[in-house]
Amino acid sequence: MAHPPENDEDEGGRGVSRRTFLKTAGVGAAASSLAGVAIPAAGATVLGPGAAPLTLKVNGAARTVNVEPRVTLLRALRNHLDLTGAKEICDRGACGGCTVLLDGEPIASCLMLAADAEGHEITTVEGLGTPDAMSPVQAAFVEADALQCGFCTPGFVVSSTALLRKNANPSLEEVKDGLAGNICRCGTYSRVFEAVQKAAKASARPAAKRG
Amino acid sequence: MAQEQKPPEVPTVTYTVKAGHASNPQTMEVHAAQGDLKPWDLDSKLRVVKGRQPRLDGKYKVTGRAKYTFDISMPGMLWGRMVRSAVPAGQILKIDTSKAEALPGVKAVWTSDARTVRFAGQDVAAVAAVSPEVAEDAARLVQVTYDEASFVTDLEKAMADDAPLVYEPDKIPGPKDIPRKGNVLGPKPPGRGGSRGDVDKGFADAAVTIQQTYSVPTHTHSPLETHGVIAKWEGDQLTVWASTQGVFTVRDGMAEALGIDRKNVNVITEHMGGGFGSKLAPSASGSAFAVVACKLAKQAGAPVKLMLDRHEEHLCTGNAPSALMTVKIGAARDGSFTAVHYRSFGSAGIAGGAGTGGPAGSLHGKNPNLKIEEHDVFTNAGPAAPLRAPGHPQGAFALESAVDEVADRLGLDPLEVRRKNEASPVRLIQYDVGAKAIGWERRNKKPGEGAGPRKRGIGMANGNWYVIARGSGVGAEVRIHRDGSVEYFSGAQDIGTGFRTAMAMVVAEELGLKPTDVKPNVGDSRWPEGPGSGGSNTTNSVAPAVRLAAHDARMKLFALAAPGLGAKAEDLDAADGKIFVAASPGKSVAFKQTAAKMSGEVIAAVAERKKQFETYRQDLAGCQFAEVEVDTQTGVVRVIKVVAVNDCGFPINLLTTESQIIGAMIQGVSWALWENRVLDRNVGTMVNPNLESYKVLSSKDMFEAVPIVTEIANAGNNTSAAGIGEPCIVPTLGAVANAVFNASGARVRTLPITPDRVLAALAEARRS
Ligand code: FES
Ligand code: FES
């Protein structure tokens, strides 16, 4: 039997992919920060279909990128600004590998359009520290060997940083909750927990001395 | 390939070493090839090796600065994208790429010559375009017309006489002398260990006999960095950045597929985001994407980056075969086995290699009568690839569950039954260590005897692996520069094990430096050759060559230091950045000061690994103990704690060795409780090709993981290192299943141990 031409690369070859959906909804609504919002807000700028310039505030600096409206924040960071710390692992919000801070809140940057990130403060793992001046969380990860292949690690570092900013002294259960959106295939979880609790102690020490 | 025990044919030097475990040292003679060093043994005073060194590349990884293949881009680079077969079986009638080619921004198109489709996800076509977005659009515009054929995705259905054939009988892959019928190939001759004695007689002699069938579904490797490459041509020179476990395999594979000279191919893998066995092929087990990327790059006259997406990663880059295993054990009243018959069927999809008999061949060495039969069953699914101790976690789950069932039948302590049948002196030590760490005496004497609906229990299981090393064609280079800086070079790749740090520790040990004083250079085919990282062989293949090169550099440096110290070079030693007279350490000179004396700019020492001919033991022993909680009302299982006791020879870096063991326990628990590749039997495609419904263990499921390394001076090479990545996952599945039984009385023989299966097994336990 002949089969109709197959031209859909999506799961099971059926339906509209998230990517085409975003494309259809390729509207840069400066006022909206929700990915996939299909209805343009009043006064929204309609971008596309071609590439359009956007200004993103990343790690304290304003950066201009020229991207199609369907490009996610993750791909804008990685493919247009060479900030490759955030990883594209599942590209659908399931793994946490692409976590960045948006106005201080951890988000999956694969689930947000770059256009929707305009006007927000974006912090990537590169903005938290450098190899020669690591943040306490980063240093604790290295010391506790909370990484193996390290591909998930930037996501864990950003999520852990966000967690400790909200809760300076989390219990083990709170650490597990805070990192529930991050997957590590090499199996580093217990050493990540150790690192987060080490980093919490390290930051608490000066305060304890003062007290 | 374990190192041979056959008499050496090359000039040798004999060393007497103190081998084995510290609690039971064994003096043995080893013959090493001339020029090799005496193996580090129980008497060696090691200053750096066996210590705990955080990874040297850690600071780049935690700050997002490490560039993985997925992260590399270069000017003018195009983005490649594959088109994959949407149907599981049939013929391709037409591939129409005209619309894709007409799309602005598309620079190259490739179509497959193969016309027969055997699984959904097979390579069909590919495009290269100016952006990933345009490449995705173009891939969707490729129109493929199929003549579909009937197919089979289910293991047991594929074994039926009337099942659709995955291969015509003469096309079945595998040796021609093995019996074949329909989709089934086998029984295959047993591998290592093999069959022995007379099982019929053994069963006749048994006081009790149990026979049960166990099954494990297909797992996918799911490394977080998907497979992918960047291919770049400069004239006839090809550079490939690859996310691979085998830099040299990719080099050789590209040269062969493209018909070019190996020396014109350079492969680079600086950082790599996991592979677990799936990245040992030049491209992947079920895709030639890397070759396709090289072809697209040539056609377009520009570098092409081709990374698979998560969906493709599940379909065509390998998986662990499913397994259906029947175990029959005969035992005397005291628990000693009189016979074991192990029979397995498994499907590696369209590939062979679904055997699971390894543990049966190796464990319970005192059992006199053993028969192993393995069969491959072909199905219309992506071909398997080695996954962390291929076939062994599955086989150990079945075998070690059955051992527990024997113990239960005889009313004996399951650990005592294992002791009765144990031939490995190492595992006998490990039983005591592990039992103490988990608190074995806390287990239920009667399964499920705990009060209340949430019941805890403890179980254990064994695992085995082999000492595998590439004994020749492996090299290393160590350089000391005039300014006192030191670096080493090994072409082999660090796949996340900490290989690069471990090798720096070996150099530091020889030169009396800190590991942080040594700059590692790994993962580049221009550097001395190394093995593919499979079989847990990288460290014990490369470390002996690194040690030889470092030792050579050390002696050259000692020669420069000797006159000033008024001693002979061979009477010197090095530690803490100093070179000193071994007999009077007060007489010393700084390492840096000595390096400044060299006549040129660099002392370079290159060495090749040498073969050794004896080892303390050819196998690696391990066992694990698990504590779980079973909610007998919902069937939900929670793992509380796992203790892993494993032998890896000498661990070079105890810190990263433990990390690998923890990782294996986690992956093992994940297989035991959740992972399951689901194929739709009506359409033949994968139902859960993602990371949310292909469920893997996450933070919330995490248990207390206790890694314990049994240090064994293995003497199989000059560092006594063996391997760890694989052995430590072999026992986990069985340990969890046996703990579930001890907690609740539910014997779950099919993985994953999902709540419905627990409830069904509880109901069955109540009935009997
Ligand atoms: S890549 Fe964004 S959550 Fe996985
Ligand atoms: S360290 Fe490899 S995936 Fe987490």
Side-chain angles (χ1 to χ4, degrees), chain B residues 442-459 626-641 736-747 753 758-759 761-763 765-766:
Chain B
R442 294 186 297 122
R443 80 191 190 287
N444 298 312
K445 304 301 168 296
K446 195 171 159 294
E449 71 187 356
R454 294 219 299 225
K455 297 174 187 291
R456 290 207 176 183
I458 293 173
E627 179 172 9
V628 305
E629 184 176 271
V630 179
D631 186 324
T632 53
Q633 287 174 333
T634 62
V636 171
V637 173
R638 196 159 66 90
V639 175
I640 307 291
K641 182 174 181 172
V736 170
N738 288 339
V740 167
F741 176 72
N742 184 255
S744 66
R747 174 60 66 186
I753 305 175
V758 172
L759 293 178
L762 279 171
R766 273 194 294 270

Side-chain angles (χ1 to χ4, degrees), chain A residues 147-153 184-186 188, chain B residues 224:
Chain A
L147 68 154
Q148 290 181 45
C149 79
F151 206 68
C152 68
T153 308
C184 172
R185 187 54 162 165
C186 296
T188 56
Chain B
L224 292 197

Side-chain angles (χ1 to χ4, degrees), chain B residues 1 3 36 248 251 468-477 488-493 499 503 527-534 537-549 605-611 717-718:
Chain B
M1 299 125 283
Q3 292 157 24
D36 205 350
F248 296 94
R251 179 196 65 186
I468 299 175
R470 187 163 139 191
S472 60
V474 174
E477 179 174 354
Y488 79 85
F489 297 82
S490 162
Q493 54 292 318
F499 164 71
M503 295 309 105
W527 299 334
E529 193 136 333
S533 296
N537 86 134
T538 318
T539 293
N540 62 344
S541 296
V542 183
V546 170
R547 187 181 169 211
L548 274 171
V606 182
E608 261 204 69
R609 191 190 197 279
K610 301 200 187 308
K611 220 171 207 173
N717 62 61
N718 68 32

Side-chain angles (χ1 to χ4, degrees), chain B residues 65-371:
Chain B
R65 281 0 184 248
K67 290 280 183 196
Y68 295 75
T69 302
F70 212 153
D71 300 332
I72 293 170
S73 60
M74 52 196 69
M77 186 183 83
L78 302 174
W79 299 76
R81 176 123 189 123
M82 301 288 294
V83 177
R84 306 200 163 279
S85 133
V87 305
Q91 294 292 317
I92 295 174
L93 299 179
K94 192 170 168 216
I95 307 172
D96 181 356
T97 59
S98 57
K99 283 197 182 128
E101 280 167 68
L103 189 71
V106 173
K107 303 291 183 190
V109 172
W110 170 88
T111 53
S112 170
D113 294 334
R115 282 297 171 264
T116 304
V117 172
R118 289 203 171 87
F119 72 96
Q122 202 169 305
D123 295 348
V124 172
V127 297
V130 293
S131 74
E133 292 78 25
V134 174
E136 282 162 17
D137 290 346
R140 277 194 203 95
L141 290 173
V142 174
Q143 303 198 316
V144 188
T145 314
Y146 303 94
D147 181 11
E148 286 185 62
S150 51
F151 61 89
V152 61
T153 54
D154 185 87
L155 171 69
E156 282 170 89
K157 287 219 172 85
M159 289 160 65
D161 286 340
D162 59 347
L165 292 181
V166 177
Y167 289 99
E168 292 306 311
D170 58 316
K171 293 223 173 72
I172 288 186
K176 295 286 171 243
D177 53 337
I178 298 176
R180 53 194 65 209
K181 188 165 175 266
N183 291 315
V184 181
L185 178 74
K188 297 185 285 177
R192 259 176 244 267
S195 298
R196 59 179 177 258
D198 177 350
V199 284
D200 293 335
K201 184 180 171 301
F203 286 121
D205 292 346
V208 297
T209 299
I210 69 112
Q211 176 174 327
Q212 290 294 354
T213 296
Y214 307 85
S215 78
V216 179
T218 300
H219 305 132
T220 64
H221 301 67
S222 296
L224 292 197
E225 183 183 30
T226 54
H227 282 65
V229 291
I230 297 156
K232 182 185 181 189
W233 293 89
E234 285 153 300
D236 58 0
Q237 294 287 318
L238 172 66
T239 305
V240 181
W241 288 263
S243 182
T244 182
Q245 292 174 244
V247 159
F248 296 94
T249 318
V250 175
R251 179 196 65 186
D252 298 354
M254 293 309 113
E256 196 188 321
L258 300 165
I260 57 176
D261 204 289
R262 285 179 184 182
K263 70 174 186 302
N264 291 347
V265 184
N266 177 32
V267 179
I268 300 171
T269 305
E270 194 184 359
H271 298 289
M272 197 277 221
F276 311 108
S278 67
K279 291 178 181 168
L280 286 164
S283 293
S285 67
S287 175
F289 73 87
V291 177
V292 172
C294 295
K295 289 182 176 169
L296 290 169
K298 183 119 225 185
Q299 197 186 329
V304 168
K305 178 172 181 173
L306 200 165
M307 300 299 302
L308 303 191
D309 70 11
R310 182 57 49 195
H311 185 177
E312 296 175 278
E313 187 70 23
H314 281 289
L315 298 187
C316 64
T317 67
N319 51 69
S322 60
L324 187 67
M325 303 158 283
T326 301
V327 187
K328 185 175 175 188
I329 301 180
R333 292 252 164 259
D334 69 352
S336 32
F337 297 165
T338 58
V340 174
H341 183 188
Y342 183 92
R343 191 157 190 261
S344 83
F345 295 83
S347 183
I350 61 164
T356 59
S362 167
L363 298 173
H364 320 303
K366 285 194 175 162
N367 162 45
N369 304 304
L370 173 68
K371 186 171 175 186

